[in-house]
Short mmCIF file of all heavy atoms in Angstrom, two decimals:
data_model
loop_
_atom_site.label_atom_id
_atom_site.label_comp_id
_atom_site.label_asym_id
_atom_site.label_seq_id
_atom_site.Cartn_x
_atom_site.Cartn_y
_atom_site.Cartn_z
N ALA U 482 81.59 105.74 -65.47
CA ALA U 482 81.65 105.77 -63.93
C ALA U 482 83.09 105.94 -63.55
O ALA U 482 83.49 106.66 -62.70
CB ALA U 482 81.18 104.53 -63.32
N LEU U 483 84.06 105.38 -64.32
CA LEU U 483 85.51 105.44 -64.06
C LEU U 483 85.92 106.85 -64.33
O LEU U 483 86.80 107.35 -63.60
CB LEU U 483 86.33 104.40 -64.86
CG LEU U 483 86.13 102.99 -64.43
CD1 LEU U 483 86.94 102.10 -65.35
CD2 LEU U 483 86.46 102.69 -62.93
N ASP U 484 85.44 107.45 -65.37
CA ASP U 484 85.79 108.76 -65.67
C ASP U 484 85.40 109.73 -64.59
O ASP U 484 86.02 110.65 -64.25
CB ASP U 484 85.19 109.28 -67.09
CG ASP U 484 85.68 110.73 -67.47
OD1 ASP U 484 86.88 110.93 -67.34
OD2 ASP U 484 84.80 111.37 -67.96
N LEU U 485 84.11 109.65 -64.14
CA LEU U 485 83.72 110.38 -62.97
C LEU U 485 84.53 110.26 -61.82
O LEU U 485 84.88 111.26 -61.05
CB LEU U 485 82.16 110.09 -62.74
CG LEU U 485 81.22 110.62 -63.75
CD1 LEU U 485 79.85 110.00 -63.45
CD2 LEU U 485 81.22 112.12 -63.86
N GLN U 486 84.85 109.00 -61.50
CA GLN U 486 85.67 108.76 -60.29
C GLN U 486 86.98 109.32 -60.41
O GLN U 486 87.55 109.84 -59.45
CB GLN U 486 85.76 107.21 -60.02
CG GLN U 486 84.52 106.56 -59.42
CD GLN U 486 84.59 105.12 -59.38
OE1 GLN U 486 85.56 104.50 -59.96
NE2 GLN U 486 83.71 104.65 -58.62
N SER U 487 87.63 109.37 -61.59
CA SER U 487 88.95 109.88 -61.76
C SER U 487 88.81 111.39 -61.57
O SER U 487 89.73 112.12 -60.96
CB SER U 487 89.53 109.52 -63.08
OG SER U 487 88.86 110.15 -64.11
N LYS U 488 87.77 112.02 -62.08
CA LYS U 488 87.57 113.51 -61.94
C LYS U 488 87.34 113.76 -60.41
O LYS U 488 87.86 114.87 -59.89
CB LYS U 488 86.35 113.92 -62.67
CG LYS U 488 86.57 114.15 -64.11
CD LYS U 488 85.28 114.47 -64.73
CE LYS U 488 85.33 114.66 -66.22
NZ LYS U 488 84.15 115.21 -66.90
N SER U 489 86.65 113.00 -59.65
CA SER U 489 86.34 113.22 -58.34
C SER U 489 87.58 113.32 -57.39
O SER U 489 87.67 113.96 -56.47
CB SER U 489 85.26 112.25 -57.72
OG SER U 489 85.83 111.05 -57.56
N LEU U 490 88.63 112.45 -57.88
CA LEU U 490 89.86 112.41 -57.10
C LEU U 490 90.55 113.78 -57.10
O LEU U 490 91.16 114.13 -56.29
CB LEU U 490 90.79 111.24 -57.79
CG LEU U 490 90.33 109.80 -57.54
CD1 LEU U 490 91.19 108.87 -58.22
CD2 LEU U 490 90.18 109.53 -55.98
N ASN U 491 90.35 114.39 -58.19
CA ASN U 491 91.02 115.86 -58.31
C ASN U 491 90.31 116.83 -57.47
O ASN U 491 91.00 117.87 -57.11
CB ASN U 491 90.95 116.36 -59.74
CG ASN U 491 91.64 115.45 -60.71
OD1 ASN U 491 92.73 114.83 -60.33
ND2 ASN U 491 91.42 115.38 -61.89
N TYR U 492 89.09 116.58 -56.89
CA TYR U 492 88.29 117.58 -56.27
C TYR U 492 88.41 117.33 -54.70
O TYR U 492 87.88 118.23 -54.00
CB TYR U 492 86.85 117.67 -56.76
CG TYR U 492 86.80 118.12 -58.21
CD1 TYR U 492 86.02 117.43 -59.09
CD2 TYR U 492 87.72 119.04 -58.76
CE1 TYR U 492 86.06 117.73 -60.41
CE2 TYR U 492 87.60 119.41 -60.21
CZ TYR U 492 86.83 118.69 -60.98
OH TYR U 492 86.68 119.03 -62.35
N GLY U 493 88.67 116.19 -54.23
CA GLY U 493 88.64 115.90 -52.93
C GLY U 493 87.09 115.25 -52.45
O GLY U 493 86.39 115.04 -53.44
N SER U 494 86.95 115.07 -51.14
CA SER U 494 85.84 114.52 -50.82
C SER U 494 84.66 115.45 -50.88
O SER U 494 84.85 116.57 -50.98
CB SER U 494 85.94 113.90 -49.40
OG SER U 494 85.98 115.01 -48.43
N HIS U 495 83.53 114.92 -50.75
CA HIS U 495 82.28 115.62 -50.83
C HIS U 495 82.22 116.66 -49.64
O HIS U 495 81.94 117.88 -49.81
CB HIS U 495 81.06 114.81 -50.69
CG HIS U 495 80.83 113.84 -52.00
ND1 HIS U 495 81.42 113.90 -53.09
CD2 HIS U 495 80.22 112.64 -51.99
CE1 HIS U 495 81.21 113.02 -53.92
NE2 HIS U 495 80.52 112.16 -53.23
N HIS U 496 82.77 116.16 -48.48
CA HIS U 496 82.71 117.01 -47.31
C HIS U 496 83.62 118.17 -47.55
O HIS U 496 83.53 119.35 -47.26
CB HIS U 496 83.14 116.13 -46.12
CG HIS U 496 83.22 117.10 -44.82
ND1 HIS U 496 82.06 117.44 -44.21
CD2 HIS U 496 84.23 117.34 -44.10
CE1 HIS U 496 82.39 118.08 -43.17
NE2 HIS U 496 83.66 118.10 -42.97
N GLU U 497 84.77 117.86 -48.24
CA GLU U 497 85.83 118.95 -48.51
C GLU U 497 85.26 120.02 -49.53
O GLU U 497 85.50 121.17 -49.44
CB GLU U 497 87.20 118.37 -49.07
CG GLU U 497 87.99 117.56 -48.07
CD GLU U 497 89.06 116.74 -48.60
OE1 GLU U 497 88.94 116.52 -49.80
OE2 GLU U 497 89.96 116.46 -47.93
N LEU U 498 84.47 119.47 -50.41
CA LEU U 498 83.88 120.47 -51.43
C LEU U 498 82.89 121.36 -50.62
O LEU U 498 82.84 122.62 -50.97
CB LEU U 498 83.14 119.68 -52.44
CG LEU U 498 84.04 119.13 -53.54
CD1 LEU U 498 83.22 118.20 -54.50
CD2 LEU U 498 84.84 120.00 -54.34
N LEU U 499 82.13 120.71 -49.77
CA LEU U 499 81.10 121.63 -49.08
C LEU U 499 81.78 122.63 -48.22
O LEU U 499 81.41 123.74 -48.15
CB LEU U 499 80.12 120.71 -48.27
CG LEU U 499 79.17 119.86 -49.10
CD1 LEU U 499 78.44 118.85 -48.21
CD2 LEU U 499 78.27 120.76 -49.81
N ASP U 500 82.90 122.12 -47.60
CA ASP U 500 83.74 123.11 -46.74
C ASP U 500 84.30 124.26 -47.58
O ASP U 500 84.30 125.31 -47.14
CB ASP U 500 84.77 122.37 -46.07
CG ASP U 500 84.33 121.53 -44.89
OD1 ASP U 500 83.24 121.78 -44.36
OD2 ASP U 500 85.16 120.66 -44.39
N LEU U 501 84.81 123.95 -48.83
CA LEU U 501 85.30 124.82 -49.62
C LEU U 501 84.24 126.00 -50.05
O LEU U 501 84.40 127.08 -50.00
CB LEU U 501 85.77 124.26 -51.00
CG LEU U 501 86.31 125.06 -52.05
CD1 LEU U 501 87.59 125.93 -51.64
CD2 LEU U 501 86.72 124.26 -53.27
N VAL U 502 82.97 125.49 -50.48
CA VAL U 502 81.89 126.40 -50.79
C VAL U 502 81.57 127.17 -49.62
O VAL U 502 81.43 128.34 -49.71
CB VAL U 502 80.61 125.51 -51.22
CG1 VAL U 502 79.45 126.45 -51.29
CG2 VAL U 502 80.86 124.74 -52.51
N GLU U 503 81.50 126.61 -48.47
CA GLU U 503 81.16 127.43 -47.25
C GLU U 503 82.21 128.53 -46.88
O GLU U 503 81.93 129.70 -46.64
CB GLU U 503 80.98 126.47 -46.07
CG GLU U 503 80.56 127.36 -44.83
CD GLU U 503 80.31 126.37 -43.63
OE1 GLU U 503 80.62 125.18 -43.61
OE2 GLU U 503 79.76 126.86 -42.59
N SER U 504 83.39 128.13 -47.18
CA SER U 504 84.55 129.10 -46.80
C SER U 504 84.49 130.15 -47.74
O SER U 504 84.83 131.32 -47.45
CB SER U 504 85.79 128.39 -46.68
OG SER U 504 86.25 127.91 -48.04
N LYS U 505 84.26 129.88 -49.08
CA LYS U 505 84.14 130.92 -50.07
C LYS U 505 83.14 131.92 -49.75
O LYS U 505 83.25 133.18 -49.96
CB LYS U 505 84.02 130.34 -51.54
CG LYS U 505 85.18 129.59 -52.13
CD LYS U 505 86.20 130.42 -52.66
CE LYS U 505 87.25 129.64 -53.28
NZ LYS U 505 88.35 130.41 -53.80
N LEU U 506 81.95 131.41 -49.38
CA LEU U 506 80.82 132.36 -49.11
C LEU U 506 81.03 132.97 -47.82
O LEU U 506 80.49 134.11 -47.63
CB LEU U 506 79.60 131.50 -49.15
CG LEU U 506 79.18 130.87 -50.47
CD1 LEU U 506 77.95 130.11 -50.47
CD2 LEU U 506 79.04 131.91 -51.52
N VAL U 507 81.67 132.51 -46.80
CA VAL U 507 81.79 133.15 -45.47
C VAL U 507 82.92 134.20 -45.55
O VAL U 507 82.85 135.30 -45.03
CB VAL U 507 82.11 132.11 -44.47
CG1 VAL U 507 82.61 132.71 -43.16
CG2 VAL U 507 80.82 131.20 -44.12
N GLU U 508 84.01 133.90 -46.26
CA GLU U 508 85.10 134.74 -46.35
C GLU U 508 84.80 136.13 -46.95
O GLU U 508 85.44 137.09 -46.66
CB GLU U 508 86.24 134.13 -47.19
CG GLU U 508 87.01 133.04 -46.49
CD GLU U 508 88.17 132.39 -47.31
OE1 GLU U 508 88.24 132.82 -48.45
OE2 GLU U 508 88.67 131.44 -46.75
N SER U 509 83.97 136.13 -47.84
CA SER U 509 83.60 137.34 -48.62
C SER U 509 82.06 137.50 -48.66
O SER U 509 81.46 136.48 -48.52
CB SER U 509 84.20 137.35 -50.03
OG SER U 509 83.66 136.33 -50.68
N ASN U 510 81.63 138.63 -49.02
CA ASN U 510 80.19 138.75 -49.31
C ASN U 510 79.86 137.93 -50.56
O ASN U 510 80.62 137.95 -51.45
CB ASN U 510 79.94 140.31 -49.48
CG ASN U 510 80.10 141.18 -48.20
OD1 ASN U 510 79.88 140.52 -47.14
ND2 ASN U 510 80.22 142.40 -48.39
N VAL U 511 78.71 137.57 -50.59
CA VAL U 511 78.21 136.75 -51.71
C VAL U 511 78.38 137.58 -53.04
O VAL U 511 78.59 137.08 -54.07
CB VAL U 511 76.70 136.23 -51.42
CG1 VAL U 511 76.15 135.50 -52.68
CG2 VAL U 511 76.71 135.35 -50.31
N SER U 512 78.15 138.86 -52.95
CA SER U 512 78.13 139.71 -54.04
C SER U 512 79.60 139.87 -54.48
O SER U 512 79.89 140.26 -55.61
CB SER U 512 77.68 141.15 -53.68
OG SER U 512 78.35 141.71 -52.66
N ASN U 513 80.64 139.62 -53.65
CA ASN U 513 82.06 139.66 -54.09
C ASN U 513 82.62 138.48 -54.68
O ASN U 513 83.76 138.49 -55.13
CB ASN U 513 82.89 140.04 -52.79
CG ASN U 513 82.60 141.58 -52.45
OD1 ASN U 513 82.15 142.36 -53.21
ND2 ASN U 513 82.86 141.84 -51.23
N VAL U 514 81.88 137.32 -54.61
CA VAL U 514 82.33 136.05 -55.08
C VAL U 514 82.26 136.19 -56.75
O VAL U 514 81.15 136.52 -57.22
CB VAL U 514 81.53 134.88 -54.65
CG1 VAL U 514 81.94 133.56 -55.22
CG2 VAL U 514 81.66 134.82 -53.17
N SER U 515 83.31 135.76 -57.46
CA SER U 515 83.21 135.98 -58.84
C SER U 515 82.32 134.90 -59.34
O SER U 515 82.25 133.85 -58.90
CB SER U 515 84.69 135.72 -59.40
OG SER U 515 85.11 134.39 -59.33
N VAL U 516 81.87 135.18 -60.51
CA VAL U 516 81.02 134.21 -61.35
C VAL U 516 81.81 132.84 -61.64
O VAL U 516 81.31 131.84 -61.60
CB VAL U 516 80.30 134.85 -62.64
CG1 VAL U 516 79.75 133.82 -63.38
CG2 VAL U 516 79.44 136.02 -62.18
N ASP U 517 83.01 133.11 -62.13
CA ASP U 517 83.93 132.01 -62.48
C ASP U 517 84.14 131.20 -61.29
O ASP U 517 84.17 129.93 -61.40
CB ASP U 517 85.44 132.50 -62.94
CG ASP U 517 85.13 133.18 -64.34
OD1 ASP U 517 84.22 132.99 -65.12
OD2 ASP U 517 86.06 134.01 -64.60
N SER U 518 84.30 131.65 -60.14
CA SER U 518 84.49 130.83 -58.99
C SER U 518 83.21 130.10 -58.60
O SER U 518 83.32 128.92 -58.24
CB SER U 518 84.88 131.81 -57.68
OG SER U 518 85.00 131.13 -56.52
N LEU U 519 82.13 130.73 -58.67
CA LEU U 519 80.85 129.91 -58.52
C LEU U 519 80.57 128.90 -59.56
O LEU U 519 80.27 127.73 -59.18
CB LEU U 519 79.71 130.93 -58.48
CG LEU U 519 79.56 131.77 -57.29
CD1 LEU U 519 78.46 132.87 -57.48
CD2 LEU U 519 79.41 131.02 -55.98
N VAL U 520 80.82 129.14 -60.83
CA VAL U 520 80.78 128.10 -61.80
C VAL U 520 81.69 126.96 -61.55
O VAL U 520 81.23 125.85 -61.78
CB VAL U 520 81.02 128.74 -63.22
CG1 VAL U 520 81.19 127.71 -64.29
CG2 VAL U 520 79.89 129.83 -63.62
N GLN U 521 82.96 127.25 -61.09
CA GLN U 521 83.91 126.17 -60.90
C GLN U 521 83.36 125.18 -59.69
O GLN U 521 83.38 124.18 -59.68
CB GLN U 521 85.27 126.74 -60.60
CG GLN U 521 86.32 125.71 -60.21
CD GLN U 521 87.67 126.38 -60.04
OE1 GLN U 521 87.75 127.53 -59.64
NE2 GLN U 521 88.78 125.54 -60.18
N LEU U 522 82.87 126.05 -58.62
CA LEU U 522 82.31 125.28 -57.50
C LEU U 522 81.12 124.41 -57.89
O LEU U 522 81.00 123.30 -57.46
CB LEU U 522 81.91 126.15 -56.40
CG LEU U 522 82.98 126.88 -55.53
CD1 LEU U 522 82.64 127.94 -54.73
CD2 LEU U 522 83.88 125.80 -54.85
N GLU U 523 80.29 124.99 -58.87
CA GLU U 523 79.14 124.12 -59.31
C GLU U 523 79.60 123.05 -59.97
O GLU U 523 79.07 121.92 -59.78
CB GLU U 523 78.17 125.07 -60.24
CG GLU U 523 76.94 124.41 -60.79
CD GLU U 523 76.20 125.28 -61.69
OE1 GLU U 523 76.79 126.21 -62.34
OE2 GLU U 523 75.07 125.03 -61.88
N GLU U 524 80.58 123.10 -60.92
CA GLU U 524 81.15 121.99 -61.65
C GLU U 524 81.63 120.84 -60.74
O GLU U 524 81.46 119.70 -60.89
CB GLU U 524 82.20 122.48 -62.69
CG GLU U 524 81.58 123.17 -63.87
CD GLU U 524 82.69 123.79 -64.70
OE1 GLU U 524 83.94 123.62 -64.35
OE2 GLU U 524 82.35 124.50 -65.66
N HIS U 525 82.35 121.31 -59.66
CA HIS U 525 82.94 120.34 -58.62
C HIS U 525 81.68 119.50 -57.98
O HIS U 525 81.80 118.43 -57.82
CB HIS U 525 83.82 121.05 -57.70
CG HIS U 525 85.08 121.59 -58.26
ND1 HIS U 525 85.79 122.42 -57.54
CD2 HIS U 525 85.84 121.26 -59.29
CE1 HIS U 525 86.93 122.73 -58.28
NE2 HIS U 525 86.90 122.04 -59.38
N LEU U 526 80.75 120.37 -57.55
CA LEU U 526 79.70 119.69 -56.90
C LEU U 526 78.91 118.83 -57.85
O LEU U 526 78.36 117.69 -57.49
CB LEU U 526 78.67 120.85 -56.28
CG LEU U 526 79.31 121.61 -55.16
CD1 LEU U 526 78.47 122.70 -54.82
CD2 LEU U 526 79.48 120.68 -53.96
N GLU U 527 78.60 119.21 -59.12
CA GLU U 527 77.94 118.42 -59.99
C GLU U 527 78.63 117.03 -60.25
O GLU U 527 78.10 115.94 -60.40
CB GLU U 527 77.86 119.03 -61.36
CG GLU U 527 76.64 120.08 -61.24
CD GLU U 527 76.52 120.79 -62.67
OE1 GLU U 527 77.19 120.57 -63.54
OE2 GLU U 527 75.64 121.62 -62.60
N THR U 528 80.13 117.05 -60.31
CA THR U 528 80.91 115.85 -60.48
C THR U 528 80.76 114.98 -59.30
O THR U 528 80.53 113.72 -59.44
CB THR U 528 82.39 116.28 -60.72
OG1 THR U 528 82.58 117.12 -61.86
CG2 THR U 528 83.22 115.10 -60.87
N ALA U 529 80.86 115.57 -58.08
CA ALA U 529 80.84 114.81 -56.81
C ALA U 529 79.31 114.14 -56.83
O ALA U 529 79.30 113.05 -56.43
CB ALA U 529 80.91 115.67 -55.66
N LEU U 530 78.29 114.84 -57.19
CA LEU U 530 77.00 114.31 -57.21
C LEU U 530 76.92 113.12 -58.19
O LEU U 530 76.33 112.09 -57.99
CB LEU U 530 75.86 115.32 -57.53
CG LEU U 530 74.45 114.89 -57.51
CD1 LEU U 530 74.11 114.30 -56.17
CD2 LEU U 530 73.59 116.08 -57.82
N SER U 531 77.46 113.29 -59.37
CA SER U 531 77.44 112.24 -60.44
C SER U 531 78.16 111.02 -59.97
O SER U 531 77.77 109.95 -60.03
CB SER U 531 78.13 112.83 -61.60
OG SER U 531 77.37 113.88 -62.25
N VAL U 532 79.31 111.23 -59.24
CA VAL U 532 80.04 110.04 -58.63
C VAL U 532 79.23 109.34 -57.62
O VAL U 532 79.13 108.14 -57.54
CB VAL U 532 81.45 110.47 -58.13
CG1 VAL U 532 82.21 109.33 -57.39
CG2 VAL U 532 82.30 111.07 -59.31
N THR U 533 78.55 110.05 -56.81
CA THR U 533 77.79 109.52 -55.73
C THR U 533 76.67 108.70 -56.37
O THR U 533 76.34 107.58 -55.94
CB THR U 533 77.21 110.58 -54.85
OG1 THR U 533 78.37 111.39 -54.24
CG2 THR U 533 76.30 109.98 -53.75
N ARG U 534 75.98 109.24 -57.41
CA ARG U 534 74.92 108.57 -58.03
C ARG U 534 75.41 107.26 -58.75
O ARG U 534 74.69 106.18 -58.71
CB ARG U 534 74.17 109.47 -59.12
CG ARG U 534 73.28 110.52 -58.41
CD ARG U 534 72.64 111.36 -59.48
NE ARG U 534 71.73 112.35 -58.79
CZ ARG U 534 71.44 113.43 -59.32
NH1 ARG U 534 71.92 113.79 -60.55
NH2 ARG U 534 70.54 114.16 -58.69
N ALA U 535 76.65 107.43 -59.39
CA ALA U 535 77.10 106.17 -60.03
C ALA U 535 77.43 105.08 -59.00
O ALA U 535 77.13 103.87 -59.31
CB ALA U 535 78.43 106.61 -60.81
N LYS U 536 77.92 105.44 -57.89
CA LYS U 536 78.32 104.43 -56.78
C LYS U 536 77.11 103.88 -56.28
O LYS U 536 76.93 102.67 -56.08
CB LYS U 536 79.11 105.14 -55.80
CG LYS U 536 79.52 104.24 -54.63
CD LYS U 536 80.58 103.26 -55.15
CE LYS U 536 81.04 102.28 -54.08
NZ LYS U 536 81.94 101.27 -54.49
N LYS U 537 76.02 104.68 -56.03
CA LYS U 537 74.71 104.10 -55.58
C LYS U 537 74.24 103.20 -56.56
O LYS U 537 73.69 102.12 -56.13
CB LYS U 537 73.73 105.33 -55.30
CG LYS U 537 72.36 104.93 -54.88
CD LYS U 537 71.48 106.15 -54.60
CE LYS U 537 70.17 105.59 -54.19
NZ LYS U 537 69.10 106.68 -54.16
N THR U 538 74.13 103.50 -57.82
CA THR U 538 73.67 102.59 -58.84
C THR U 538 74.38 101.42 -58.80
O THR U 538 73.79 100.21 -58.92
CB THR U 538 73.73 103.23 -60.33
OG1 THR U 538 72.94 104.45 -60.25
CG2 THR U 538 73.13 102.28 -61.28
N GLU U 539 75.73 101.33 -58.74
CA GLU U 539 76.67 100.14 -58.70
C GLU U 539 76.29 99.28 -57.60
O GLU U 539 76.06 97.99 -57.65
CB GLU U 539 78.00 100.58 -58.73
CG GLU U 539 79.00 99.52 -58.55
CD GLU U 539 80.47 99.93 -58.43
OE1 GLU U 539 80.71 101.18 -58.67
OE2 GLU U 539 81.30 99.15 -57.95
N LEU U 540 76.09 99.94 -56.40
CA LEU U 540 75.73 99.16 -55.10
C LEU U 540 74.34 98.55 -55.25
O LEU U 540 74.21 97.36 -54.83
CB LEU U 540 75.71 100.07 -53.98
CG LEU U 540 77.18 100.54 -53.52
CD1 LEU U 540 77.09 101.61 -52.39
CD2 LEU U 540 78.02 99.36 -53.24
N MET U 541 73.40 99.23 -55.80
CA MET U 541 72.11 98.77 -56.00
C MET U 541 72.04 97.51 -57.07
O MET U 541 71.40 96.54 -56.82
CB MET U 541 71.09 99.80 -56.50
CG MET U 541 70.84 100.83 -55.48
SD MET U 541 69.94 100.18 -54.08
CE MET U 541 68.39 99.80 -54.58
N LEU U 542 72.81 97.61 -58.06
CA LEU U 542 72.95 96.56 -59.04
C LEU U 542 73.49 95.30 -58.39
O LEU U 542 73.19 94.07 -58.70
CB LEU U 542 73.74 96.97 -60.25
CG LEU U 542 73.00 97.93 -61.21
CD1 LEU U 542 73.91 98.48 -62.26
CD2 LEU U 542 71.73 97.37 -61.80
N LYS U 543 74.66 95.41 -57.49
CA LYS U 543 75.21 94.37 -56.89
C LYS U 543 74.10 93.75 -55.93
O LYS U 543 74.19 92.44 -55.74
CB LYS U 543 76.42 94.81 -56.10
CG LYS U 543 77.57 95.05 -56.82
CD LYS U 543 78.88 95.61 -56.21
CE LYS U 543 80.02 95.82 -56.93
NZ LYS U 543 81.16 96.19 -56.24
N LEU U 544 73.37 94.60 -55.28
CA LEU U 544 72.46 93.98 -54.33
C LEU U 544 71.41 93.13 -55.00
O LEU U 544 71.09 92.15 -54.63
CB LEU U 544 71.68 95.23 -53.61
CG LEU U 544 70.51 94.91 -52.60
CD1 LEU U 544 71.15 93.93 -51.50
CD2 LEU U 544 69.93 96.03 -52.02
N VAL U 545 70.91 93.71 -56.23
CA VAL U 545 69.91 92.97 -57.10
C VAL U 545 70.57 91.61 -57.44
O VAL U 545 69.88 90.49 -57.44
CB VAL U 545 69.39 93.70 -58.17
CG1 VAL U 545 68.65 92.93 -59.13
CG2 VAL U 545 68.61 94.91 -57.75
N GLU U 546 71.83 91.53 -57.82
CA GLU U 546 72.45 90.47 -58.32
C GLU U 546 72.62 89.49 -57.24
O GLU U 546 72.41 88.22 -57.38
CB GLU U 546 73.95 90.88 -58.79
CG GLU U 546 74.76 89.65 -59.34
CD GLU U 546 74.19 89.34 -60.79
OE1 GLU U 546 73.62 90.03 -61.53
OE2 GLU U 546 74.39 88.10 -61.17
N ASN U 547 73.01 89.94 -56.03
CA ASN U 547 73.01 89.05 -54.86
C ASN U 547 71.72 88.27 -54.42
O ASN U 547 71.53 87.13 -54.19
CB ASN U 547 73.55 89.78 -53.59
CG ASN U 547 75.07 90.04 -53.78
OD1 ASN U 547 75.71 89.39 -54.46
ND2 ASN U 547 75.58 91.02 -52.99
N LEU U 548 70.63 89.16 -54.60
CA LEU U 548 69.23 88.67 -54.35
C LEU U 548 68.95 87.62 -55.30
O LEU U 548 68.28 86.62 -54.95
CB LEU U 548 68.30 89.80 -54.19
CG LEU U 548 68.45 90.75 -53.08
CD1 LEU U 548 67.42 91.99 -53.30
CD2 LEU U 548 68.15 90.04 -51.76
N LYS U 549 69.17 87.77 -56.59
CA LYS U 549 68.95 86.83 -57.70
C LYS U 549 69.73 85.53 -57.43
O LYS U 549 69.13 84.39 -57.59
CB LYS U 549 69.38 87.34 -59.02
CG LYS U 549 68.42 88.38 -59.52
CD LYS U 549 68.81 88.94 -60.99
CE LYS U 549 67.84 89.85 -61.44
NZ LYS U 549 68.10 90.56 -62.80
N GLU U 550 70.97 85.69 -56.90
CA GLU U 550 71.60 84.44 -56.57
C GLU U 550 71.07 83.67 -55.40
O GLU U 550 71.03 82.42 -55.44
CB GLU U 550 73.24 84.78 -56.24
CG GLU U 550 74.04 85.35 -57.35
CD GLU U 550 74.10 84.20 -58.49
OE1 GLU U 550 74.29 83.07 -58.07
OE2 GLU U 550 74.11 84.58 -59.72
N LYS U 551 70.72 84.43 -54.36
CA LYS U 551 70.07 83.75 -53.27
C LYS U 551 68.74 83.08 -53.72
O LYS U 551 68.40 82.04 -53.25
CB LYS U 551 69.77 84.82 -52.21
CG LYS U 551 71.04 85.22 -51.34
CD LYS U 551 70.65 86.25 -50.32
CE LYS U 551 71.99 86.73 -49.53
NZ LYS U 551 71.61 87.81 -48.45
N GLU U 552 68.01 83.68 -54.54
CA GLU U 552 66.75 83.16 -55.03
C GLU U 552 66.95 81.93 -55.78
O GLU U 552 66.16 80.96 -55.66
CB GLU U 552 66.01 84.22 -55.95
CG GLU U 552 64.57 83.77 -56.38
CD GLU U 552 63.98 84.82 -57.35
OE1 GLU U 552 64.72 85.31 -58.33
OE2 GLU U 552 62.81 85.08 -57.04
N LYS U 553 68.05 81.88 -56.60
CA LYS U 553 68.43 80.65 -57.43
C LYS U 553 68.70 79.42 -56.28
O LYS U 553 68.40 78.23 -56.56
CB LYS U 553 69.53 80.76 -58.16
CG LYS U 553 69.40 81.59 -59.45
CD LYS U 553 70.64 81.75 -60.24
CE LYS U 553 70.28 82.73 -61.55
NZ LYS U 553 71.53 82.98 -62.26
N LEU U 554 69.14 79.76 -55.21
CA LEU U 554 69.69 78.73 -54.19
C LEU U 554 68.30 78.12 -53.47
O LEU U 554 68.43 77.04 -52.96
CB LEU U 554 70.63 79.32 -53.23
CG LEU U 554 71.95 79.67 -53.73
CD1 LEU U 554 72.77 80.36 -52.60
CD2 LEU U 554 72.71 78.56 -54.32
N LEU U 555 67.32 78.90 -53.48
CA LEU U 555 66.03 78.36 -52.87
C LEU U 555 65.37 77.54 -53.81
O LEU U 555 64.98 76.56 -54.08
CB LEU U 555 65.10 79.62 -52.45
CG LEU U 555 65.83 80.67 -51.49
CD1 LEU U 555 64.71 81.71 -51.35
CD2 LEU U 555 65.95 79.83 -50.22
#
């Protein structure tokens, strides 16, 4: 998770990545976008998605842990 988070810092926020993808596709015809550019954008989006999933998993585990602690108190 830490490796993914460090990678995500290099790419900016998810919103910025989506803006980048949109600008690349709007600025030029889709047929003029290079394969390398699309592959790079895909990698950025996959990293952002992985970071989001890791954070969601972390939050869910914390929630389960908190619920277990509350259950012990009852």
Side-chain angles (χ1 to χ4, degrees):
L483 292 176
D484 184 43
L485 290 174
Q486 287 176 342
S487 65
K488 284 182 180 180
S489 71
L490 294 175
N491 295 334
Y492 303 135
S494 72
H495 303 335
H496 182 71
E497 290 170 338
L498 283 173
L499 291 174
D500 286 344
L501 176 63
V502 170
E503 184 178 10
S504 69
K505 290 280 187 184
L506 295 176
V507 169
E508 286 176 5
S509 62
N510 292 334
V511 176
S512 60
N513 292 336
V514 177
S515 72
V516 172
D517 290 336
S518 177
L519 290 174
V520 168
Q521 184 179 20
L522 289 171
E523 179 184 23
E524 289 172 359
H525 289 165
L526 290 170
E527 284 178 358
T528 300
L530 182 59
S531 295
V532 169
T533 301
R534 286 180 175 154
K536 182 65 176 176
K537 179 182 174 185
T538 301
E539 178 184 340
L540 292 173
M541 292 298 291
L542 290 174
K543 284 182 182 180
L544 178 62
V545 169
E546 186 75 24
N547 288 338
L548 290 173
K549 285 181 180 179
E550 290 296 322
K551 286 182 182 179
E552 185 179 48
K553 286 181 185 178
L554 296 175
L555 297 176

